[in-house]
Amino acid sequence: MNRLQKTVNSLKKYPTWVLSYAVGRTVKFVGTAGCQFDLMTLEKVIISLKNRPKVRNHIGQIHAAAMILLAETASGMVVGMNIPDDKLPLMKSMNAKFIKRSQGKMQAEAWLTAEQIEQIHVTEK
């Protein structure tokens, strides 16, 4: 069990906003944006972001950068829940395609299969 898993497990007895607050204090941009952790397990992470003034663009929708933050945070956290403490998770690239205007609250889901989790544990880097 890595440090992130231990921390998340210790916070499960509290309301979900406590986890959101704890992560937001550690990852400042996540806290500033107001990302809410709806689910955080070894296999899946779900994070949401309300359409509030501090994350809006010039047309009143959630800004593209905030959407990317949501997706990057969800994927990073599901990897972080599984990566051994002696390894460093590092994103090498990311692609996004915006198909239509967003409306209202956004939600990002990231998940790993059992095979992907196993690969994280056995890969040297």
Side-chain angles (χ1 to χ4, degrees):
M1 184 177 291
N2 69 22
R3 289 188 324 228
L4 181 58
Q5 288 175 19
K6 288 176 188 171
T7 301
V8 170
N9 285 342
S10 71
L11 295 175
K12 284 190 177 185
K13 58 188 168 193
Y14 300 105
T16 56
W17 69 263
V18 174
L19 175 62
S20 300
Y21 178 79
V23 174
R25 294 272 301 171
T26 305
V27 184
K28 303 295 187 201
F29 194 27
V30 170
T32 298
C35 295
Q36 296 297 308
F37 287 78
D38 302 321
L39 176 71
M40 196 157 164
T41 68
L42 291 173
E43 299 83 18
K44 188 173 188 176
V45 172
I46 301 175
I47 305 173
S48 58
L49 183 62
K50 291 179 182 175
N51 184 353
R52 299 177 307 126
K54 70 169 44 171
V55 295
R56 286 187 187 138
N57 60 18
H58 62 287
I59 59 173
Q61 304 303 316
I62 293 179
H63 195 285
M67 289 184 223
I68 294 296
L69 170 69
L70 199 60
E72 187 269 339
T73 302
S75 61
M77 289 307 237
V78 76
V79 169
M81 287 290 286
N82 289 283
I83 197 164
D85 285 334
D86 65 340
K87 294 181 182 176
L88 175 68
L90 181 63
M91 182 184 292
K92 293 184 178 181
S93 67
M94 182 177 206
N95 296 305
K97 184 175 184 180
F98 300 98
I99 299 170
K100 62 181 182 177
R101 285 177 45 178
S102 67
Q103 292 184 337
K105 179 179 173 179
M106 299 290 296
Q107 186 177 50
E109 295 184 22
W111 58 90
L112 294 172
T113 64
E115 294 80 22
Q116 290 169 323
I117 292 170
E118 179 63 24
Q119 184 180 4
I120 289 171
H121 288 277
V122 300
T123 303
E124 187 175 325
K125 284 188 175 183

